[in-house]
Amino acid sequence: MLIAILGLIILIVGIVMKRSPEPGSNFSGIVTIVGAVVIFLGLSTSAFKVIDPGKVGVQTLFGQVQNDVLPSGLHIINPLVDVTIFDTRTQNYTMSAKSGEGQVEGDDAIRVLSSDGLEVTIDLSILYKVTPSKAPYIYQNIGVDYEDKIVRPITRTAIRDNAVNYQAVDLYSTKREEFQFKINKTISDNFAKNGLEVQQILVRNITLPATVRASIESKIQAEQDAQKMQFVLQKERQEADRKRVEAQGIADYQKIISTGLTDKQLQYQSILAQQAIATSPNTKIIIMGSGKATPIMLNDK
């Protein structure tokens, strides 16, 4: 469009030169022709518009936003129309305590108050994109700086409004997924009203006050010690049960032996033992005694 405006200026200069005295009037025809050619080229160029992949174009004619969205590709449009490009691909907006991780320099983490009055610091990333059909609405009602006007304030407000319903320890541990689900719903509903679509919300980190962290670590250590002691006690009980069973077995064995053995059976076992010793090639034994008395065995070694 700038080329067409430049051509119009050249055309006006040619007309003015035509009315001026010589020698300027002699070149008025050439200047006029050049101006007309430049206008034609400018209008021809403005009539063709290429929209890159992953983007859409919003048309504006004399300040009036058109509802028709230009998708990616080549388009022939009114040369007088201005086209504003919107990126419809996934975008990431991060708010972090670490410098350089987010869109804002320095510490940009979200600080909230929990239901028990403690300050909790939350690092968060939100993945979202512009709804293509809503691009004209965004351009007319919000503008191209929708990150600063919609994404950032709505996200931070939703987190603060939901965090106040949870205790600090719950946000850090048991209720973290529930908290993330609730802020996801709140932010998604508000984004949808403004032509944006939430794809994912990532709670990257939740930092508790130092005193609370120390208390949690102490509690975890105590729970681990208690579990360890339970294991030791269980092991000792099992060992006591084993010894009790073993002692009962020995007692039962002794009872069976004491009631089941007779003198003849003992004499028979003694004869078998003497016979085994006598037949051994490496043993020299003298057996003394007879009858019911216990034999005396003398070894020459």
Side-chain angles (χ1 to χ4, degrees):
M1 194 62 187
L2 291 176
I3 298 176
I5 295 174
L6 177 61
L8 180 60
I9 294 173
I10 296 174
L11 181 62
I12 294 173
V13 171
I15 294 173
V16 172
M17 289 177 62
K18 186 176 182 180
R19 297 179 180 178
S20 63
E22 295 182 358
S25 60
N26 297 332
F27 298 97
S28 63
I30 297 175
V31 174
T32 302
I33 294 173
V34 171
V37 171
V38 172
I39 290 174
F40 176 76
L41 292 175
L43 293 176
S44 299
T45 304
S46 301
F48 295 93
K49 184 66 177 179
V50 177
I51 307 297
D52 294 333
K55 299 181 180 180
V56 296
V58 177
Q59 305 176 80
T60 306
L61 180 61
F62 302 126
Q64 182 69 36
V65 177
Q66 307 297 306
N67 291 326
D68 295 334
V69 177
L70 299 178
S72 58
L74 176 64
H75 302 274
I76 300 176
I77 61 174
N78 186 339
L80 300 178
V81 167
D82 291 329
V83 178
T84 303
I85 304 300
F86 277 78
D87 193 342
T88 57
R89 294 170 294 188
T90 299
Q91 301 181 58
N92 176 16
Y93 194 90
T94 295
M95 290 165 279
S96 173
K98 293 184 179 180
S99 178
E101 285 192 349
Q103 277 72 6
V104 177
E105 290 294 332
D107 186 354
D108 191 38
I110 306 167
R111 286 169 174 78
V112 300
L113 285 179
S114 60
S115 61
D116 48 357
L118 297 175
E119 184 180 77
V120 179
T121 303
I122 299 176
D123 290 0
L124 179 137
S125 291
I126 180 168
L127 304 179
Y128 72 98
K129 67 177 183 178
V130 172
T131 304
S133 61
K134 297 292 185 180
Y137 172 85
I138 296 174
Y139 186 57
Q140 182 168 351
N141 296 278
I142 302 171
V144 295
D145 54 345
Y146 49 84
E147 269 195 354
D148 295 331
K149 292 181 179 178
I150 299 297
V151 176
R152 180 180 176 84
I154 285 181
T155 301
R156 297 177 77 90
T157 301
I159 291 174
R160 291 191 177 102
D161 290 346
N162 283 278
V164 75
N165 298 317
Y166 296 90
Q167 293 187 357
V169 175
D170 293 338
L171 284 176
Y172 184 79
S173 55
T174 58
K175 298 295 182 67
R176 180 166 178 163
E177 291 186 3
E178 178 183 316
F179 170 68
Q180 185 165 328
F181 174 79
K182 287 188 175 182
I183 62 174
N184 194 328
K185 185 178 186 309
T186 302
I187 295 173
S188 296
D189 293 343
N190 281 277
F191 272 33
K193 296 176 183 178
N194 293 280
L196 303 175
E197 177 185 341
V198 173
Q199 293 188 301
Q200 193 172 8
I201 294 177
L202 306 173
V203 178
R204 304 166 70 244
N205 187 35
I206 296 179
T207 304
L208 302 177
T211 54
V212 178
R213 291 200 305 270
S215 176
I216 292 175
E217 292 173 357
S218 176
K219 180 180 178 181
I220 292 174
Q221 185 62 44
E223 290 176 351
Q224 291 177 346
D225 292 342
Q227 292 177 357
K228 182 179 179 180
M229 183 56 64
Q230 288 283 16
F231 174 77
V232 172
L233 291 175
Q234 182 65 24
K235 186 177 180 181
E236 291 296 331
R237 291 191 189 98
Q238 291 176 348
E239 180 65 17
D241 291 340
R242 187 193 66 79
K243 291 181 177 179
R244 189 177 299 109
V245 171
E246 181 181 8
Q248 184 64 44
I250 294 174
D252 293 342
Y253 172 76
Q254 291 176 343
K255 182 178 180 181
I256 293 171
I257 291 297
S258 62
T259 58
L261 290 179
T262 62
D263 292 341
K264 290 184 177 181
Q265 187 175 3
L266 290 174
Q267 185 177 4
Y268 175 72
Q269 292 294 333
S270 175
I271 293 171
L272 291 178
Q274 293 175 27
Q275 182 179 4
I277 294 172
T279 57
S280 174
N282 299 321
T283 306
K284 293 181 179 180
I285 298 174
I286 300 174
I287 301 175
M288 300 177 63
S290 60
K292 296 182 180 180
T294 302
I296 300 176
M297 294 177 288
L298 300 178
N299 194 331
D300 65 344
K301 295 182 180 181

